[in-house]
Amino acid sequence: MNAFGIEIEERPFLVGAFRDVTERRQAEQQLKEERLQLQLYLDNSPSITVVFEAGGTIRRINRRGCTLLGYEADEIVGRNWYRDFVPESARSAVEAWFESCFQDGSGRREQIDTPVLTRNGEQRSVVWRNEIIDGGHS
């Protein structure tokens, strides 16, 4: 709502401009519910699921991934996958492989075995199967 005062014939009036936001609020609620449903699906998957963008910024991770790494989701999301969860000795090779998937848009559906670092510094080996998705917005 926007409002401003005016005078007409020396009498004060308030003029208000209103906008119906019902549809926008309904769409926002639906999007929120869909995101919660997606997280529920991810969290009940027996596989580790990590969603990250080109450059390695993590956007989503499921419960199984959190358990493997030893962190809560809010400690992982927003961090850089390569820098924070790949051992330094393998970092450049892993980053180059994943970034090439983004560049050619294929997602390279073949599997790759890479090391990951847990919170306690343990190195684990994971086999990846990638899929490039275009979600538009996070």
Side-chain angles (χ1 to χ4, degrees):
M1 175 183 138
N2 293 321
F4 58 91
I6 63 168
E7 275 191 30
I8 300 175
E9 298 176 1
E10 298 182 19
R11 292 180 49 201
F13 290 87
L14 184 62
V15 177
F18 301 87
R19 187 176 351 166
D20 183 356
V21 295
T22 304
E23 288 180 15
R24 186 184 85 208
R25 293 235 171 103
Q26 289 171 340
E28 288 170 350
Q29 181 62 33
Q30 182 178 356
L31 181 59
K32 181 180 177 181
E33 290 170 8
E34 288 173 359
R35 285 183 175 164
L36 289 171
Q37 188 70 34
L38 171 62
Q39 192 63 48
L40 180 65
Y41 293 148
L42 290 175
D43 283 342
N44 287 294
S45 170
S47 300
I48 298 164
T49 303
V50 181
V51 177
F52 58 91
E53 60 192 28
T57 301
I58 301 163
R59 293 295 171 213
R60 194 173 292 276
I61 188 165
N62 69 347
R63 187 179 308 136
R64 182 100 165 120
C66 292
T67 299
L68 169 76
L69 297 173
Y71 294 90
E72 296 296 322
D74 63 351
E75 296 176 288
I76 296 172
V77 172
R79 292 176 68 180
N80 184 277
W81 180 257
Y82 313 122
R83 183 187 62 238
D84 297 334
F85 301 104
V86 176
E88 190 173 350
S89 60
R91 194 169 296 150
S92 61
V94 170
E95 183 173 3
W97 193 88
F98 279 107
E99 290 301 310
S100 71
C101 295
F102 284 106
Q103 290 171 0
D104 69 17
S106 70
R108 292 199 181 170
R109 288 172 177 80
E110 73 264 18
Q111 294 181 349
I112 181 174
D113 188 331
T114 70
V116 296
L117 287 175
T118 66
R119 177 179 226 138
N120 65 11
E122 179 184 6
Q123 186 171 307
R124 304 293 303 257
S125 182
V126 295
V127 175
W128 292 90
R129 179 174 156 79
N130 298 317
E131 186 70 36
I132 298 292
I133 57 173
D134 181 10
H137 303 287
S138 60

